[in-house]
Amino acid sequence: MMRMRRRMTTLLAGALAFGLTLAGCAPAHEAIRMPPQGAIPDYQLGSAYPPVDGVGLVVRDRAAAVPHGVYAVCYVNGFQTQPGERADWPEDLLLHRDGAAVTDPNWPDEVLLDTSTAAHRERIESVIGQWIEGCAEAGFDAVELDNLDSYTRSGGELSLEDNLALAQALVARGHALGLAVAQKNAAEHSAVLHGRAGFDFVIAEECAAYDECQVYAEVYGERVIDVEYTDNLPQPFAQLCRAPHTPASVVLRDRRLAAPGEPGHVFLTCSD
């Protein structure tokens, strides 16, 4: 888990996107650059570093510099607070139960955002929408919206429909800025998330480990980017690379996502 370059290629494309944004519509689908199919990915949420030769897609946190020369994806925590950023959120936009904020059990410094009402979703979208605009201004090509499945950790306080409604607004915001938008999590709901929210591709963590790669592929085809981790491999990585449902874009990383030279750094691809 963890976390524009939308550079229009012609003045005409730029004018089109601008005009459609003013009209409140997403730009023509052709104006949004999709990730290159089969590209070698790197997941750099722990530390940002120059991608090695052959890498064609890099994911970095929204606060990191955009990587140049590759397809650049901007990580945004769309449904929970980022570590160290809880104080930036109004308390009423955080989900509470019995007077206490509801946190992610696996990430106790991340609090679930309360997407349960239209008024809350509008205010949350206003904040995260500014982050998405920042991704666009920085030069990223796409945005990854993490923790779409936060409702599963809410004890029934939130629903898929609540998060889907927010996702629709965030995807529309990204599209209006010329960004592709990646689905993250909730593999079993990919059809509705792609069809109703408009997600363009998938960034999956451990879809092989959790037997979800084919579920994503049935909806998104080759537009599935997978990150597997050394501490939870279902089989040796070389075998996983040959497995029929493993995406063409897959990378093996260490859980801490350490940079080269840091203890525990692992970066392996199926071409190694």
Side-chain angles (χ1 to χ4, degrees), residues 1-3 43 45-46 75-77 82 107 110 144 146-147 184 205 229 255-257:
M1 190 215 79
M2 267 205 195
R3 321 183 216 329
Y43 208 51
L45 300 187
Y75 173 93
V76 172
N77 202 338
Q82 275 293 90
W107 301 90
E110 296 190 17
E144 168 194 346
D146 198 10
N147 288 308
K184 180 78 171 290
E205 285 184 285
Y229 293 107
R255 182 71 64 175
R256 288 181 57 250
L257 300 173

Side-chain angles (χ1 to χ4, degrees), residues 37-60:
Q37 293 187 10
I40 294 175
D42 195 1
Y43 208 51
Q44 297 188 2
L45 300 187
S47 299
Y49 52 85
V52 302
D53 291 345
V55 167
L57 180 149
V58 171
V59 182
R60 287 184 179 171

